[in-house]
Amino acid sequence: VELSQRCIKSISQLESQSLSDVEKLCKYFLQMLIKQHSNIKIDQTLDESLWAVSTILLEAVKCNSSEDQLRTFLSEHFVSKDIAAVLVDTYIQHKELMLKHVETGGISAWEIISLDWRIDFAIRSKQGGRDNTPVYLLELKVLDRGLPRIIDMTANEEELQDLIAKIQDAVKQTDRTIFRLSEV
């Protein structure tokens, strides 16, 4: 997990907090994430620690970290065993809830299940002349947040070639981005 300097500094400040403050921050974070409000009041002096708790828990959920991976991460960042235990317990107890909330917020990526297609020919009437134009009928089946969806599209040959070119460009751009990130 790649963390900003601010986050690393915030994690180190967790050590200056009491266990009850860390537990309070975890409860506050969960209430704000799920309900968008909290009945827990936190002091402004805990803002950096709240930043750290939020980042740790969200990154762990985003990466689908195991309990051991989270413990290792926390020990590598010199978080005491007691505070780490509070964070890990919060993560383990509420992992599924946080994951569901994170998955349903923002933009989710669809998982492509299948693509079916067929070609039909559009034939014009006598008055308009004869024109055997191919028309492609596409049926894209995707999984959107666990729910199957079907997207039907029609395209002529030029539109289909445009779509293919755009997909190839997206693949090339993604490959370039991944390559640049792997060099860092």
Side-chain angles (χ1 to χ4, degrees):
V1 175
E2 201 64 35
L3 298 176
S4 68
Q5 289 296 350
R6 177 184 176 194
C7 187
I8 292 169
K9 180 182 170 196
S10 299
I11 291 172
S12 67
Q13 288 179 357
L14 277 176
E15 286 306 308
S16 63
Q17 307 304 327
S18 67
L19 279 179
S20 63
D21 279 346
V22 174
E23 289 170 348
K24 191 165 123 176
L25 289 170
C26 288
K27 288 178 186 174
Y28 179 85
F29 164 74
L30 288 168
Q31 287 180 358
M32 290 301 290
L33 180 69
I34 306 305
K35 300 177 184 176
Q36 281 77 44
H37 67 82
S38 176
N39 57 358
I40 298 170
K41 301 292 182 215
I42 60 166
D43 190 63
Q44 252 186 330
T45 59
L46 296 174
D47 281 352
E48 286 298 314
S49 295
L50 177 60
W51 172 273
V53 166
S54 303
T55 302
I56 290 167
L57 294 174
L58 287 174
E59 284 297 320
V61 166
K62 187 175 90 176
C63 297
N64 198 19
S65 300
S66 68
E67 182 178 341
D68 291 336
Q69 288 172 322
L70 182 54
R71 281 190 199 284
T72 301
F73 171 81
L74 293 170
S75 68
E76 287 172 355
H77 288 85
F78 308 106
V79 175
S80 72
K81 289 186 186 251
D82 294 335
I83 291 175
V86 170
L87 293 168
V88 170
D89 288 345
T90 301
Y91 173 71
I92 297 302
Q93 288 177 13
H94 302 285
K95 179 180 180 180
E96 293 303 316
L97 183 65
M98 289 187 290
L99 185 60
K100 274 187 182 167
H101 190 74
V102 168
E103 284 176 343
T104 58
I107 299 171
S108 66
W110 293 347
E111 179 183 337
I112 297 174
I113 298 170
S114 69
L115 173 67
D116 295 322
W117 65 276
R118 73 172 203 251
I119 187 169
D120 280 347
F121 288 91
I123 301 174
R124 301 211 176 167
S125 67
K126 290 187 224 175
Q127 292 83 10
R130 186 170 174 88
D131 187 18
N132 289 335
T133 307
V135 176
Y136 297 90
L137 305 170
L138 308 166
E139 182 180 87
L140 182 63
K141 293 179 185 173
V142 297
L143 207 55
D144 180 15
R145 297 181 181 158
L147 301 172
R149 290 187 58 196
I150 296 176
I151 301 168
D152 291 317
M153 299 180 284
T154 58
N156 62 30
E157 189 172 358
E158 182 181 320
E159 292 168 332
L160 190 58
Q161 287 173 348
D162 262 1
L163 177 64
I164 291 168
K166 287 178 183 178
I167 291 171
Q168 289 171 337
D169 286 345
V171 169
K172 286 177 186 174
Q173 182 61 39
T174 303
D175 289 343
R176 281 188 289 241
T177 303
I178 291 171
F179 179 74
R180 276 190 233 130
L181 290 173
S182 68
E183 289 180 333
V184 175

